[in-house]
């Protein structure tokens, strides 16, 4: 991984350059919603990985991964901007390295579209979580990204070679894209007030709170934060707002509270005045005790209902048993002779 400042630089490297980024995710079982890696630079390009620990809308029950080119870090991102790269994502098998699952593609990234690559069905969650398989060890998952930057002339040559082979054998297949992988345009990222590219579903929530609390935008601009930091700050705010806007009281169990706590702690680091939002956060966190009491009361009510049904059934059986029954003294002597 390169530790360099990417701002204002031409992202141009030698024809081939291999780089690798390792994302070690501790406490993997605690994650249940979309999670971002830190920003990193591979082969001269800024990237981020998105993990969907329970799958995205197209692949529930699978681990889904996406990697996208962080164009907010590229000052010279013009209309005609384009680059060619080989992308590789892998989930490491920590027991037997040869069983590591790898997905790869070769793509042209350009300003008009195609600066994100997703693998919807990377691995089924049953296979991933089976401790015998070796993908998760001590509740830790390891994801790696390897990217090779390809010069224009090399990419075109590869493209021609592929087209020749497709002519000789049909049907034609997409160039170098592994199974279960797709290449969306990442159109879910939109510009927010010139402050950065934010997920589309966060924008209405951010617009609402920023209209009510204009200092959120003003303070960020006055502090002259870097574009990367500002984008990250409003993304962190958007995640908390989206959580509070989409989750219900029943979602605030132990896992729900843990996830909200993580999002809140991340948001606290960006310097926003959160005095207006903290009561809503605290109220959501307090729902955990209510949910626990609710579940306990619900369980006891169910137990009582079961006991009442059993009691009613027993009473009915008793009535039937008493029909024609004459009670006698069980201590009376049997005697002999006439009854």
């Amino acid at each position: 991984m390169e530790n360099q400042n990417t701002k204002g630089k031409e992202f141009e490297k030698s024809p081939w350059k291999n780089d690798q980024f390792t994302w070690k995710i501790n406490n993997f079982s605690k994650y249940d919603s979309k999670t971002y890696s830190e920003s990193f630079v591979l082969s001269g390009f800024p990237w981020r990985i998105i993990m969907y620990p329970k799958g995205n809308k197209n692949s529930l029950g699978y681990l889904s991964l996406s990697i996208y080119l962080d164009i907010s870090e590229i000052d010279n991102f013009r209309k005609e901007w384009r680059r060619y790269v080989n992308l590789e994502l892998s989930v490491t098998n920590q027991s037997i390295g040869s069983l590591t699952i790898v997905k790869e593609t070769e793509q042209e990234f350009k300003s008009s579209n195609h600066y994100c690559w997703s693998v919807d069905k990377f691995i089924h969650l049953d296979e991933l979580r089976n401790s015998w398989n070796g993908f998760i060890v001590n509740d830790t998952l390891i994801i790696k990204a390897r990217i090779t930057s390809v010069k224009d002339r090399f990419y075109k040559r590869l493209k021609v070679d592929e087209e020749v082979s497709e002519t000789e054998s049909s049907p034609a297949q997409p160039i170098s894209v592994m199974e279960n992988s797709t290449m969306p345009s990442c159109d879910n990222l939109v510009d927010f007030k010139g402050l950065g590219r934010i997920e589309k579903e966060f924008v209405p929530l951010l617009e609402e709170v920023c209209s009510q609390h204009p200092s959120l935008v003003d303070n960020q601009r006055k502090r002259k934060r870097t574009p990367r930091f500002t984008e990250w700050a409003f993304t962190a705010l958007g995640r908390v707002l989206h959580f509070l806007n989409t989750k219900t009281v029943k979602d605030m169990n132990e896992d729900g509270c843990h996830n909200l706590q993580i999002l809140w702690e991340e948001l606290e680091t960006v310097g926003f005045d959160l005095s207006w939002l903290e009561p809503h956060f605290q109220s959501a966190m307090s729902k955990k005790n209510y949910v626990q009491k609710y579940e306990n009361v619900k369980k006891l009510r169910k137990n009582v209902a079961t006991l009442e049904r059993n009691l009613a059934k027993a009473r009915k059986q008793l009535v039937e048993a008493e029909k024609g029954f004459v009670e006698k003294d069980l201590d009376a002597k049997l005697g002999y002779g006439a009854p």
Side-chain angles (χ1 to χ4, degrees):
M1 175 178 175
E2 297 180 353
N3 294 318
Q4 65 183 56
N5 185 2
T6 63
K7 293 296 293 180
K9 295 187 178 182
E10 284 284 339
F11 292 96
E12 190 72 81
K13 295 293 179 179
S14 57
W16 298 89
K17 180 174 177 62
N18 293 322
D19 277 314
Q20 179 172 283
F21 169 75
T22 299
W23 186 14
K24 187 175 182 181
I25 304 171
N26 298 317
N27 301 314
F28 175 77
S29 61
K30 299 295 185 181
Y31 291 86
D32 69 351
S33 59
K34 178 167 51 179
T35 303
Y36 294 76
S37 74
E38 63 179 288
S39 183
F40 56 91
V41 176
L42 293 184
S43 291
F45 297 84
W47 307 87
R48 291 187 82 179
I49 299 174
I50 307 175
M51 176 186 69
Y52 300 81
K54 294 185 178 179
N56 57 34
K57 62 183 180 180
N58 299 319
S59 58
L60 297 179
Y62 287 82
L63 176 72
S64 301
L65 298 176
S66 297
I67 184 169
Y68 68 91
L69 179 63
D70 193 354
I71 61 175
S72 65
E73 288 289 320
I74 306 175
D75 284 342
N76 62 342
F77 192 81
R78 300 179 297 271
K79 183 177 181 181
E80 67 276 17
W81 190 97
R82 64 177 61 202
R83 290 296 185 272
Y84 308 95
V85 295
N86 284 27
L87 294 170
E88 181 181 295
L89 286 172
S90 63
V91 172
T92 301
N93 189 299
Q94 301 175 60
S95 299
I96 306 175
S98 61
L99 298 182
T100 292
I101 298 178
V102 180
K103 306 288 185 181
E104 60 181 347
T105 184
E106 180 179 86
Q107 295 290 347
E108 173 186 8
F109 280 50
K110 53 187 178 181
S111 55
S112 58
N113 60 6
H114 287 188
Y115 41 86
C116 175
W117 179 53
S118 299
V119 183
D120 290 337
K121 297 182 179 180
F122 206 102
I123 179 175
H124 197 281
L125 293 181
D126 290 343
E127 180 181 0
L128 179 69
R129 292 169 176 166
N130 189 327
S131 59
W132 292 98
N133 290 335
F135 292 107
I136 298 177
V137 176
N138 296 326
D139 205 20
T140 297
L141 179 71
I142 299 177
I143 296 171
K144 294 183 179 181
R146 185 184 297 277
I147 298 177
T148 303
S149 178
V150 186
K151 283 279 192 175
D152 186 10
R153 62 180 182 273
F154 288 98
Y155 182 86
K156 288 182 177 179
R157 177 59 182 272
L158 291 171
K159 188 81 171 180
V160 170
D161 291 344
E162 184 71 14
E163 289 173 349
V164 169
S165 64
E166 289 176 356
T167 302
E168 297 173 350
S169 61
S170 60
Q173 299 295 325
I175 177 172
S176 303
V177 180
M178 304 298 287
E179 63 176 352
N180 295 332
S181 62
T182 58
M183 185 64 188
S185 63
C186 277
D187 56 0
N188 64 317
L189 297 177
V190 298
D191 180 75
F192 174 65
K193 296 182 179 298
L195 297 170
R197 293 177 63 79
I198 310 296
E199 291 184 51
K200 185 183 297 184
E201 59 187 349
F202 296 165
V203 171
L205 302 174
L206 290 170
E207 289 178 341
E208 179 183 2
V209 299
C210 287
S211 65
Q212 298 172 357
H213 306 278
S215 61
L216 292 170
V217 175
D218 295 340
N219 289 344
Q220 288 294 320
R221 286 175 171 161
K222 288 178 181 178
R223 293 180 182 182
K224 297 181 180 180
R225 303 288 196 183
T226 64
R228 179 69 233 160
F229 183 92
T230 302
E231 182 178 273
W232 171 57
F234 281 98
T235 297
L237 177 58
R239 290 176 190 158
V240 172
L241 296 175
H242 183 264
F243 186 102
L244 295 174
N245 194 55
T246 58
K247 299 299 182 181
T248 63
V249 173
K250 67 180 180 181
D251 294 320
M252 298 311 294
N253 51 24
E254 184 174 351
D255 288 340
C257 288
H258 175 79
N259 293 331
L260 179 56
Q261 184 67 46
I262 291 175
L263 295 177
W264 182 259
E265 290 175 357
E266 180 185 45
L267 178 58
E268 285 183 311
T269 65
V270 303
F272 284 131
D273 176 8
L274 300 174
S275 58
W276 60 275
L277 185 58
E278 186 169 6
H280 300 283
F281 163 72
Q282 296 294 349
S283 175
M285 294 296 288
S286 69
K287 297 298 189 294
K288 177 182 177 181
N289 291 332
Y290 176 81
V291 171
Q292 290 175 340
K293 291 180 179 180
Y294 174 84
E295 292 296 333
N296 186 46
V297 169
K298 184 178 177 180
K299 181 179 179 180
L300 291 174
R301 285 175 177 172
K302 183 177 180 180
N303 290 342
V304 169
T306 300
L307 291 173
E308 289 177 343
R309 286 195 300 270
N310 291 338
L311 179 59
K313 182 177 179 181
R315 289 184 184 280
K316 184 176 180 180
Q317 291 174 340
L318 176 61
V319 170
E320 291 295 324
E322 287 179 336
K323 290 180 179 179
F325 174 76
V326 178
E327 191 169 346
K328 295 182 179 181
D329 183 6
L330 297 180
D331 292 325
K333 295 185 179 297
L334 295 174
Y336 55 88

